Amino acid sequence: MSNHQIHVIGGGLAGSEAAWQLAQAGIKVRLSEMRGTGEMTPAHQTDGLAELVCSNSFRSDDADKNAVGLLHQEMRRLGSLIMDRAEPAKVPAGSALAVDRHVFSDGVTRALAEHPNVEIVRERIDTLPTDGMTIVATGPLTAAALASSIGEAAGMEHLAFFDAIAPVIHFDSIDMEECWMANRWDKIGPGGGEGKDYINCPMNKEQYQAFVQGLLDGEKTEFKEWESSTPYFEGCMPIEVMASRGPETLRHGPMKPMGLDNPKTGRWPYAVVQLRQDNASGTLWNMVGFQTKLKHGAQVELFRTIPGLEKAEFARLGGLHRNTFIQSPKLLDPTLRLKSAPHIRFAGQMTGCEGYVESAAIGLIAGRFAAAEILGQELAPPPADTALGALLGHVTGNVETTDYQPMNVNFGLFPTLDDVKKKQRKEAYTARARASFGRWLGEVVEPA
Ligand SMILES: Cc1cc2nc3c(=O)[nH]c(=O)nc-3n(C[C@H](O)[C@H](O)[C@H](O)COP(=O)(O)OP(=O)(O)OC[C@H]3O[C@@H](n4cnc5c(N)ncnc54)[C@H](O)[C@@H]3O)c2cc1C
């Protein structure tokens, strides 16, 4: 079958889902996957499509109280292959959806191999196609030649080789009695304002020393050899690496107290942890300079010792891995097409979503957008108050971020519901999303 109508590059979570959506819409797909030719990414271990490279969990399956559970539900309503093949591969994991990774990957591979509209070709693609409709879904570990071809098309400065990420916290879990808003030296930023852009969490000497010790002692994620060859970005050094350089290093770096008068004491604290607004609505706040490779459990335990963050809820925890992603809000249009070359769409983690489910979800909607385009139909993006719409908004720039970084789906990406009591807010978000998603589905034209 060489008369394909679309070329999907990468048979991971996103590419498999995109290919499935297209095939189900009656479109002939060529799906190129380099594994199976003797090539391997540094993290994959098999030739199977949609291989899960690390944990075997799709996280919470609770569609009433959890944003990723809601995303599962929306994907199921759209006939997701990933969600469908997860079902028979399920292993017990409480309220989470976890799978036997081999059963799961075999199921996805078989479904695509048996589909009459899909041709799976084991080949490595080294350059972005100059014509023909294409979806690029080659993931965070995109092979080097294609990564540099993408860099040329996207502008090299837009292709990030990402290393460390800092945690992001839900605003309504921060104790603002303990913290205060201020800029260093009360400086007014370029965007104007009152010089009160940052949330500052004060520490005394004992708290600081215990915190530094906690960083040094905390359990770290071990990295494979390949990660040691990926250089850190300037200014993106993991915090525990800085802490290991000396007890005062952090007090002269990201935890510097200078110019930050605590209104309770009228003096600078011994050290300060600063949080910077991460989204336009102010529901998410980023821990400035706190990129880390501490294990997730160790991060939660240690960061909750910071005054004001005792009850912090994390929208994202810090992490470190090689990650190729593009500055999607700048480069892509609302249907994930590269503005400078609209025959190319991007999908999956390449677009700056984070996680298996999110990558598959962006693959799903990229497949649907491409199918609609080929069939001459209109497909409006899902509404911003649905999980899929909120995630797509993060990727395509409907939600403004001060610094575009990969992110899991979470309620902080949804339009706010301030008039609902905090206890009932999660259910209110999901109820609103379900109604909105249902209305949108009503408008989606399914192919005959
Ligand atoms: C080390 C590591 C650990 C992770 N752990 C987790 C975790 O525990 N939980 C979680 O939710 N997420 C995790 N992630 C994130 C996870 O990888 C992604 O969320 C998800 O797999 C991305 O889906 P994707 O389809 O975008 O990319 P992938 O699933 O990586 O698929 C991309 C595919 O493209 C292929 N490919 C690459 N280059 C080419 C080329 N030039 N030509 C042809 N094919 C190519 C690859 O072989 C691969 O099959 C981890 C990521 C990494 C790197």
Side-chain angles (χ1 to χ4, degrees), residues 188-365:
I188 309 283
E194 298 170 42
K196 295 183 191 304
D197 297 334
Y198 287 81
I199 295 176
N200 299 284
C201 311
M203 274 190 187
N204 61 31
K205 189 172 179 180
E206 292 69 41
Q207 287 165 332
Y208 172 79
Q209 286 172 339
F211 184 76
V212 169
Q213 199 54 49
L215 285 172
L216 298 177
D217 295 343
E219 209 184 340
K220 324 280 187 308
T221 307
E222 294 299 329
F223 289 97
K224 297 189 181 166
E225 225 172 277
W226 53 272
E227 266 160 330
S228 61
S229 59
T230 307
Y232 291 126
F233 267 137
E234 189 67 29
C236 222
M237 185 73 70
I239 189 149
E240 60 279 354
V241 175
M242 275 188 261
S244 70
R245 294 186 170 170
E248 288 296 293
T249 307
L250 288 175
R251 249 172 46 83
H252 295 281
M255 297 180 70
K256 193 163 56 181
M258 291 79 182
L260 290 166
D261 292 325
N262 185 346
K264 279 193 189 152
T265 61
R267 285 181 295 132
W268 302 343
Y270 191 75
V272 169
V273 174
Q274 286 201 301
L275 308 180
R276 181 183 51 225
Q277 190 170 332
D278 199 70
N279 63 346
S281 58
T283 53
L284 299 174
W285 289 72
N286 196 306
M287 295 180 77
V288 181
F290 267 61
Q291 50 278 356
T292 175
K293 56 179 182 172
L294 282 178
K295 287 205 164 162
H296 284 179
Q299 287 183 44
V300 173
E301 196 179 322
L302 184 63
F303 296 160
R304 283 189 181 153
T305 66
I306 297 169
L309 303 187
E310 293 86 352
K311 294 190 174 149
E313 293 293 335
F314 295 88
R316 179 184 80 193
L317 283 158
L320 185 82
H321 57 74
R322 179 155 83 88
N323 191 352
T324 305
F325 72 99
I326 59 170
Q327 294 295 314
S328 298
K330 284 197 191 89
L331 298 171
L332 303 185
D333 76 7
T335 71
L336 297 162
R337 288 184 305 193
L338 190 59
K339 287 177 193 163
S340 60
H343 63 289
I344 292 173
R345 274 192 170 79
F346 281 89
Q349 189 146 329
M350 261 270 168
T351 64
C353 60
E354 172 84 27
Y356 304 141
V357 181
E358 289 83 346
S359 297
I362 294 297
L364 187 158
I365 197 67

Side-chain angles (χ1 to χ4, degrees), residues 10 12-14 33-35 44 54-55 125 137-139 143 348-349 355-356 359:
L13 275 300
E33 169 52 56
M34 71 174 184
R35 289 177 292 117
H44 288 80
C54 188
S55 96
I125 304 296
T138 44
Q349 189 146 329
Y356 304 141
S359 297

Side-chain angles (χ1 to χ4, degrees), residues 16 55 84 91-92 102 109-110 130 145 169 193 200 217 237 266 277 294 323 334 355 370 377 385 401 407 423 444:
S16 299
S55 96
D84 183 65
V91 295
H102 298 292
T109 308
R110 206 167 334 106
T130 49
I169 296 176
N200 299 284
D217 295 343
M237 185 73 70
Q277 190 170 332
L294 282 178
N323 191 352
Q377 297 167 347
D385 55 7
T401 49
M407 164 117 1
K423 267 194 163 171
V444 172

